[in-house]
Amino acid sequence: MKKIQMVDLKGQFATIKDEVNESLQEVLESTAFINGPQVHNFQKELEDYLGVKHVIPCANGTDALQIAMMGLGLKPGDEVITADFTFAATVEVIALLQLTPVLVDVEPDTFNIDPEAIRKAITPKTKAIVPVHLFGQTADMDAIMEIAREHNLYVIEDNAQAIGGNFHSKENKTYKTGAIGDIGATSFFPSKNLGCYGDGGAIFTNNDELAHTIKGVVNHGMYERYHHDVVGVNSRLDSMQAAVLRAKLPRLDKYNEARRQAANKYDQAFKGQEHIVTPFLKGAPDTHVYHQYTLQITNGKRDALVKHLQANDIPCGVYYPIPLHKQKAYADERYNEADFEVTNRLVKEVVSLPMHTELEDDQIDHITKAVIEFVNN
Ligand SMILES: *Cc1c(COP(=O)(O)O)cnc(C)c1O
């Protein structure tokens, strides 16, 4: 059996090596390191793939979220509702822009933001909702878009973990995640489903005016050279990263399918296990791209299991061990523990197993046997 990796970037690279080397060589020889043709071509190709009018590449996923909020003109004091159970980047940029983060609980089955909790958190100051398609599963966008329309709120999708996933609306329309709300933000961090070989990110929107605003924001607030109309930032995807992404984008559907197959095999192996809850798939199979394969261990043995797996060379991860509302940086007396029942439980129960495009059957066998044996003893 090959050594088990949490994410096997080496194995994946081996399958695209010639193509990536060639396009990187091209960038080197052209010396068009910034805003070169690779960036422009990738932008167009991603627009086509997502079926979205505008993709604006930027330096990373955290920037993408921040720039989205700047582009929408959110002002200090505006309240932005997001999930308590997610990576900190989402709440970090809200706080950095001096907006007021309002953390709410998630659904117990999908781990995604709970529409009922959003409703309860809305005040006259609420301006936006940031759903995160956590671990690769599409959030309940029908309900979220309905709430947003009712209360005149922006929707910014944090699509860092779900690129390539689908959403089938109740009107029977199919969208790519990130292309549903007013604006989508994604990350091309190496371990994401579409990852580059460094940092990268992008913002998506179908709104022409918003796209124009954002193209200035990412470039020092310039719409005309050396005329700075708004306070902007410097956030670019570089040409080398775009070259890598161009090689991987045509394979993204295949990559996501490989993740689904690995998830199915895990599911089969854990079937009938009393203390192991496998990921809940709420919609059609194409609404989950398994950025993570996350179990809940319900008999109190999660922490011991993590130690056991690590001691046996089986990598695993706890995403996330502390609810955001309990983090020092984001704690606030407004919060009431009773409102975070699900997140408070999940942080003690979740464990994510190795998930990537190169997982082999004997590795999955080995991992699932080790988990089942330990949890039941
Ligand atoms: C990875 C991630 C981000 C941040 O992306 P970076 O490119 O690392 O800045 C934001 N939100 C979520 C949910 C993520 O998983």
Side-chain angles (χ1 to χ4, degrees), residues 74-356:
L74 301 184
K75 296 277 177 314
D78 288 350
E79 291 179 5
V80 180
I81 298 175
T82 193
D84 190 38
F85 188 59
T86 178
F87 181 56
T90 327
V91 66
E92 177 179 60
V93 300
I94 298 172
L96 265 178
L97 294 172
Q98 297 185 308
L99 314 174
T100 305
V102 177
L103 297 166
V104 302
D105 211 356
V106 296
E107 300 173 327
D109 48 8
T110 63
F111 313 152
N112 275 323
I113 194 164
D114 181 350
E116 279 318 303
I118 297 176
R119 276 191 193 280
K120 279 198 354 209
I122 290 173
T123 76
K125 288 186 180 168
T126 308
K127 288 287 153 46
I129 307 169
V130 188
V132 183
H133 303 301
L134 198 76
F135 301 155
Q137 177 152 232
T138 311
D140 186 349
M141 293 307 289
D142 275 326
I144 292 165
M145 295 308 291
E146 195 177 302
I147 296 170
R149 273 192 288 269
E150 242 173 72
H151 295 269
N152 206 15
L153 308 174
Y154 295 119
V155 173
I156 304 164
E157 296 174 70
D158 182 339
N159 199 40
Q161 301 190 0
I163 197 155
N166 284 337
F167 163 61
H168 306 288
S169 78
K170 60 176 194 235
E171 289 91 20
N172 270 323
K173 285 215 296 227
T174 295
Y175 302 79
K176 286 283 170 201
T177 54
I180 309 154
D182 297 279
I183 193 159
T186 205
S187 162
F188 303 123
F189 185 79
S191 64
K192 304 282 161 133
N193 291 37
L194 178 62
C196 57
Y197 294 163
D199 274 310
I203 302 142
F204 329 137
T205 183
N206 284 308
N207 180 323
D208 298 337
E209 204 179 317
L210 188 55
H212 173 76
T213 304
I214 286 173
K215 282 176 197 166
V217 170
V218 296
N219 188 25
H220 303 289
M222 276 197 290
Y223 295 90
E224 202 185 316
R225 206 160 169 76
Y226 300 124
H227 293 250
H228 303 273
D229 295 355
V230 295
V231 177
V233 294
N234 169 28
S235 189
R236 296 184 283 241
L237 179 74
D238 69 63
S239 305
M240 299 242 207
Q241 301 309 335
V244 173
L245 290 165
R246 286 191 75 199
K248 287 175 105 181
L249 179 60
R251 297 170 165 96
L252 177 59
D253 287 344
K254 204 181 75 186
Y255 289 157
N256 284 337
E257 192 48 42
R259 288 172 176 272
R260 275 185 209 114
Q261 279 178 18
N264 278 338
K265 288 173 192 159
Y266 275 132
D267 283 349
Q268 289 308 318
F270 290 127
K271 227 181 203 151
Q273 287 297 320
E274 191 187 345
H275 309 297
I276 300 173
V277 181
T278 54
F280 178 75
L281 176 66
K282 191 165 184 173
D286 62 359
T287 61
H288 205 324
V289 294
Y290 294 95
H291 176 62
Q292 299 293 350
Y293 183 88
T294 303
L295 298 175
Q296 285 166 262
I297 306 298
T298 56
N299 62 351
K301 292 183 82 171
R302 194 276 313 269
D303 287 340
L305 172 67
V306 168
K307 280 200 191 111
H308 174 77
L309 294 178
Q310 283 165 349
N312 286 279
D313 282 331
I314 299 175
C316 62
V318 172
Y319 312 117
Y320 297 91
I322 305 171
L324 290 177
H325 81 276
K326 287 188 182 167
Q327 297 282 0
K328 266 194 212 156
Y330 306 114
D332 194 303
E333 10 185 81
R334 285 174 295 140
Y335 295 132
N336 180 351
E337 282 310 311
D339 292 331
F340 297 101
E341 197 194 315
V342 178
T343 304
N344 285 342
R345 178 164 51 77
L346 290 179
V347 295
K348 294 189 200 119
E349 292 184 350
V350 290
V351 56
S352 300
L353 300 182
M355 175 49 78
H356 51 79

